[in-house]
Amino acid sequence: MKFAMSYSCGKDSTLALHKMLEQGHEPVCLVVMVKEAEERSYFHGADPAMLERYSEALNLPVITCPADGASYQSAFEKGLLKAKNMGAEGVCFGDIDLEQNRKWEEERCKALQLVPFFPLWQRGREEIVYEIVRLGYQCLIKSIDRRVLPMELLGRVLDETSILDMKAAGIDICGENGEYHTLTVDGPIFQKRLDVQIGDQIELGDYGVVEIK
């Protein structure tokens, strides 16, 4: 089936896309939600230049959906409509086990008569993280919750060493509660690696981010 990928640029949505390709489905585009005021993707902070690199690396057009909190739902549905006009019959999501998120996404798909796919649903969180590493995906830690993780993790690759550091901190190593976010820069479905530069670390209240260009 032809599908659109609801893409965050992070580890889980990348693995979900990987699984859809394994199953023989055909992607037509990436749909990315963008914070209107900041011109960066929600949660993972990819700027327009980086989104262009993702499009090239994954050989898929990107539909950006600028939104603020109030317009998030309508902006997402507009993006899905564009994807449908490009031939998408379904939409893939990287959700694992948060029921409220899945319900919201299913409602958006139902409104546009698109089939929702959740290839990671109800899989073990640790299993998912270790599969990402085993498959060879390079995921850079972009942001952390400073209340539970040290700033030293910023900019590091998600690997067995950084996972052990997260376990030592006592967090969910999948980061489903917002403990950290990643940017995937290389892996099996990438036609080329994203060349990035790791910049300064910035403290933003309870959170820490690293500039990745």
Side-chain angles (χ1 to χ4, degrees):
M1 180 179 285
K2 292 184 177 181
F3 71 98
M5 183 69 224
S6 179
Y7 197 62
S8 70
C9 307
K11 60 179 176 52
D12 298 333
S13 60
T14 300
L15 182 60
L17 177 56
H18 179 107
K19 293 297 183 183
M20 290 294 282
L21 292 170
E22 271 190 339
Q23 295 167 19
H25 298 289
E26 180 184 346
V28 298
C29 63
L30 307 171
V31 178
V32 181
M33 296 302 298
V34 173
K35 287 186 179 181
E36 197 164 27
E38 301 175 18
E39 295 188 332
R40 288 177 177 266
S41 67
Y42 270 85
F43 308 115
H44 299 255
D47 61 22
M50 186 172 289
L51 291 177
E52 185 177 333
R53 299 298 183 271
Y54 274 103
S55 178
E56 294 169 358
L58 295 171
N59 195 29
L60 289 169
V62 174
I63 296 174
T64 55
C65 307
D68 55 24
S71 65
Y72 193 97
Q73 177 174 315
S74 60
F76 186 59
E77 289 187 355
K78 286 177 183 176
L80 294 188
L81 180 59
K82 290 180 181 178
K84 186 174 182 178
N85 291 334
M86 294 170 65
E89 304 162 273
V91 188
C92 178
F93 301 93
D95 296 86
I96 300 168
D97 54 23
L98 299 180
E99 292 281 355
Q100 67 272 26
N101 289 3
R102 176 168 178 154
K103 181 179 178 182
W104 186 89
E105 291 154 352
E106 288 177 334
E107 288 173 350
R108 306 288 73 73
C109 288
K110 184 177 180 180
L112 292 164
Q113 297 182 312
L114 291 163
V115 179
F117 290 92
F118 297 89
L120 306 184
W121 190 251
Q122 295 296 346
R123 289 188 54 197
R125 292 184 179 188
E126 284 204 15
E127 176 190 354
I128 286 171
V129 175
Y130 282 113
E131 181 173 11
I132 289 163
V133 173
R134 177 178 58 79
L135 287 170
Y137 282 101
Q138 297 290 300
C139 305
L140 300 178
I141 299 171
K142 165 72 176 180
S143 65
I144 54 104
D145 184 338
R146 296 173 57 230
R147 296 169 295 184
V148 294
L149 287 175
M151 292 286 284
E152 288 74 20
L153 279 171
L154 289 171
R156 285 173 57 183
V157 173
L158 184 66
D159 58 16
E160 292 188 3
T161 302
S162 55
I163 290 170
L164 285 176
D165 289 342
M166 290 179 185
K167 283 188 172 183
I171 71 153
D172 163 27
I173 64 168
C174 202
E176 279 296 277
N177 301 307
E179 295 93 337
Y180 71 98
H181 293 294
T182 59
L183 287 171
T184 307
V185 297
D186 199 10
I189 64 172
F190 282 67
Q191 296 193 6
K192 59 181 178 179
R193 177 184 171 85
L194 271 70
D195 290 324
V196 296
Q197 291 181 328
I198 307 296
D200 296 332
Q201 295 181 358
I202 305 167
E203 295 181 5
L204 299 172
D206 291 334
Y207 296 89
V209 299
V210 63
E211 186 67 25
I212 299 177
K213 297 182 179 179

